[in-house]
Amino acid sequence: MKTLKELEIWFVTGSQHLYGEATLKLVAQHSQEIAASLNVNSNISVTVKYQPTVKSPEEVYAICAAANAESKCIGIVAWMHTFSPAKMWIGGLKILRKPLLHLHTQYNRDIPWDKIDMDFMNLNQSAHGDREFGFIMTRMRLERKVVVGHWQDTSVAKQIDTWARAAAGWNDWQGARFVRFGDNMRYVAVTEGDKVEAEMKFGYSVNTHGVGDLVAIVNSIDDKAVGELVNTYETLYVVSADLKKGGKQHESLRIAARTELGLRKFLEQGNFKGFTDTFEDLHGLIQLPGIAAQRLMAEGYGFGAEGDWKTSALVRAMKVMAIGLPGGNSFMEDYTYHFEPGNEMVLGAHMLEICSSIAKGKPSCEIHPLGIGGKADPVRLVFNVGSGAALNASMIDMGNRFRLLVNEVEAKEPVAPLPNLPVARVLWKPLPDMKTGCAAWILAGGAHHTCYSQNLTAEHLQDFAEMAGIEYVGIDADTRLLSFKKELKWNEMSYLK
Ligand code: MN
């Protein structure tokens, strides 16, 4: 998917027959105008599709059933221009399976002080009509996003887009397939999880294929395709002399290219949206996939190392949410710390697999030994990452629920060239500060693996967690450890069954 415009959010206005023809005609006109305006708003990345006003339980039910059935529809934006008695909505909301955004807006921005009369008051009733609608969703314990403000306000469009992007990620998970080559890294706890529960909760399936199935496809790739991909590497990256044609390790570059082509073919043939591998189970693969994982991620595939399927699926969803935005999203690991007083930082990296979508400048393509796994030296892309606001997101399995943990961070420019570090890397300062941010992350049980995002905000992920019906825990500039600990305790109570 190159653009989110092929996905639709449906603009549904609620009313009732009591108002009569003339008023309902105006309601429909206003709704069409708002939907059309949002549809062409450059801040909104999906298609906004007007739907006729719903005025009865039957019409509400029908639009919810139609939304469920339409694969292009990723959510409903509901607005009560006039008063829509909300018992009419119970039947429809009970069966609605798509996310809902409650747009609490009003057709007129300003009160017309000189002209206002009871006709105006009776038409522009969302101030109380939307309260009636809010009640029924709260009474039914339904998750939804509430956006407040005039529909021509840029901040309103941006918030709608944030929710729509989350809905696109959520939609992408439904029926998605992720493949694991090999199981979890031996004895590791946080990358484990309940795949049956994940499929019920998230809609995606995770299944294992023996790495031999992959090796067979890798070995079937013809030499011509390998040669072409090697040429592509030489165009896109600064390829080290040893790896170039005539260089003494050129064959290693060809092996890396063959691995990438085999992996891509495997993913395409199986209609997989992401994968995991593990250095402990690579029988028949000559190198641990490095550049292959980096480039496949850049194309939009999810990836998790060491069997980490939860992070692979999260990386994929976040890539879909971010389609069209500048910057990138990558598999990441908190690797090592800089504890200089007053300038504390985390150095994020992985053994190899950082997505080139977050690279600053032209990556270099290098080969170095890997001190783990006992395989041949793997080829990888090495690069730095730019500064600015970013975040790390981690999905963990708490046993009775999934928790999505997000830490907002401030990425920093590299402070030195790091000539001996042969992997892609990024430096960041966790918010609100190193001590609080790291302590909160550890208390919340956050993984060492994350999805690092340069272009999504905590709000995207909060909306996403609400759509999934899972716990969301955020660590940001306002986090204080005492209240954070209480939040974790209170959340524990709210998930007791
Ligand atoms: Mn790892």
Side-chain angles (χ1 to χ4, degrees):
M1 189 163 42
K2 296 270 188 295
T3 164
L4 295 176
K5 269 289 171 196
E6 59 196 70
L7 303 175
E8 297 172 357
I9 54 176
W10 287 4
F11 192 88
V12 178
T13 308
S15 188
Q16 60 179 321
H17 286 292
L18 198 69
Y19 289 99
E21 274 301 301
T23 301
L24 286 173
K25 214 171 158 183
L26 273 177
V27 168
Q29 273 175 21
H30 291 168
S31 300
Q32 280 177 49
E33 187 183 339
I34 294 173
S37 160
L38 294 175
N39 186 45
V40 297
N41 190 307
S42 60
N43 291 299
I44 295 183
S45 49
V46 299
T47 295
V48 182
K49 190 171 178 185
Y50 166 80
Q51 296 291 353
T53 313
V54 289
K55 306 170 292 295
S56 66
E58 292 75 17
E59 288 174 359
V60 170
Y61 186 91
I63 196 71
C64 292
N68 287 344
E70 175 52 66
S71 60
K72 280 188 289 188
C73 175
I74 60 167
I76 281 182
V77 176
W79 172 52
M80 307 301 124
H81 188 344
T82 45
F83 199 85
S84 181
K87 285 200 279 184
M88 291 190 339
W89 284 82
I90 293 172
L93 291 174
K94 262 176 79 174
I95 60 147
L96 182 65
R97 305 277 302 156
K98 303 279 167 97
L100 188 143
L101 180 147
H102 183 183
L103 180 59
H104 186 43
T105 190
Q106 178 171 285
Y107 179 70
N108 273 64
R109 195 194 72 175
D110 299 341
I111 292 175
W113 305 109
D114 300 338
K115 296 187 195 123
I116 188 166
D117 57 12
M118 280 319 286
D119 285 345
F120 180 93
M121 298 276 276
N122 286 332
L123 179 63
N124 295 283
Q125 292 193 339
S126 39
H128 60 280
D130 274 333
R131 281 173 161 74
E132 166 76 356
F133 184 68
F135 166 74
I136 202 63
M137 291 206 75
T138 297
R139 175 69 177 76
M140 293 174 76
R141 273 73 173 173
L142 294 174
E143 293 282 5
R144 75 285 195 187
K145 184 180 179 90
V146 179
V147 174
V148 180
H150 192 250
W151 52 280
Q152 287 171 315
D153 183 350
T154 301
S155 73
V156 167
K158 285 183 174 171
Q159 265 195 297
I160 293 173
D161 188 59
T162 297
W163 169 84
R165 286 180 174 281
W170 177 244
N171 178 67
D172 182 72
W173 265 9
Q174 307 313 305
R177 297 151 61 99
F178 292 90
V179 58
R180 310 170 81 207
F181 299 112
D183 202 326
N184 207 45
M185 180 179 166
R186 284 188 279 275
Y187 306 111
V188 175
V190 77
T191 50
E192 289 281 10
D194 184 339
K195 296 193 283 293
V196 175
E197 184 66 19
E199 186 158 354
M200 293 195 297
K201 203 79 194 165
F202 298 138
Y204 65 70
S205 67
V206 182
N207 287 292
T208 302
H209 279 253
V211 72
D213 294 351
L214 171 61
V215 169
I217 293 186
V218 169
N219 291 342
S220 76
I221 300 295
D222 69 64
D223 287 345
K224 186 165 167 280
V226 171
E228 283 165 7
L229 185 54
V230 164
N231 289 340
T232 302
Y233 290 168
E234 298 213 1
T235 316
L236 294 177
Y237 314 118
V238 182
V239 176
S240 67
D242 281 357
L243 289 174
K244 282 189 171 164
K245 283 189 197 87
K248 62 179 190 294
Q249 287 181 289
H250 181 63
E251 187 51 31
S252 296
L253 189 65
R254 290 184 61 86
I255 290 165
R258 192 182 298 282
T259 306
E260 177 185 329
L261 291 164
L263 255 170
R264 184 178 293 104
K265 190 169 176 185
F266 191 102
L267 296 172
E268 284 170 356
Q269 282 181 352
N271 198 21
F272 294 111
K273 290 179 172 175
F275 67 105
T276 70
D277 60 17
T278 170
F279 62 85
E280 287 174 337
D281 189 352
L282 293 173
H283 302 282
L285 280 185
I286 298 167
Q287 307 170 6
L288 175 62
I291 189 171
Q294 293 179 290
R295 284 171 43 84
L296 287 164
M297 257 191 283
E299 282 172 30
Y301 288 103
F303 172 77
E306 292 107 38
D308 188 349
W309 53 272
K310 295 193 299 297
T311 305
S312 179
L314 184 62
V315 168
R316 164 68 186 195
M318 289 171 69
K319 283 180 173 290
V320 171
M321 288 185 227
I323 286 173
L325 294 176
N329 291 270
S330 176
F331 175 73
M332 186 58 71
E333 179 165 313
D334 295 71
Y335 224 103
T336 200
Y337 285 151
H338 183 64
F339 270 138
E340 178 192 350
N343 190 31
E344 296 88 349
M345 281 184 280
V346 181
L347 186 120
H350 204 255
M351 292 189 300
L352 304 169
E353 311 93 336
I354 300 299
C355 177
S356 54
S357 68
I358 64 169
K360 185 183 183 188
K362 195 171 186 173
S364 55
C365 180
E366 303 177 16
I367 184 164
H368 302 276
L370 191 69
I372 196 165
K375 288 280 169 179
D377 299 353
V379 175
R380 80 289 306 272
L381 297 173
V382 180
F383 51 84
N384 287 313
V385 175
S387 57
L391 59 78
N392 279 306
S394 170
M395 183 75 81
I396 58 170
D397 186 340
M398 292 292 293
N400 64 343
R401 66 187 186 276
F402 290 100
R403 167 180 287 167
L404 182 59
L405 178 64
V406 174
N407 187 191
E408 295 177 32
V409 305
E410 183 68 28
K412 293 289 165 190
E413 289 292 328
V415 291
L418 312 175
N420 294 314
L421 187 66
V423 289
R425 60 282 184 137
V426 50
L427 284 168
W428 68 74
K429 293 181 179 236
L431 294 182
D433 57 72
M434 186 84 165
K435 274 180 186 286
T436 312
C438 292
W441 187 273
I442 284 170
L443 287 167
H448 54 298
H449 286 169
T450 61
C451 181
Y452 176 86
S453 179
Q454 294 175 315
N455 50 21
L456 297 175
T457 62
E459 191 177 345
H460 288 103
L461 292 159
Q462 196 185 330
D463 288 353
F464 185 72
E466 285 172 1
M467 288 169 194
I470 62 165
E471 182 188 10
Y472 174 86
V473 176
I475 305 167
D476 58 25
D478 297 326
T479 296
R480 289 176 59 244
L481 220 42
L482 182 62
S483 43
F484 187 81
K485 285 183 190 175
K486 286 179 190 163
E487 180 184 343
L488 295 181
K489 280 184 186 163
W490 293 335
N491 285 6
E492 208 58 57
M493 296 303 290
S494 87
Y495 284 91
L496 285 180
K497 289 253 166 64

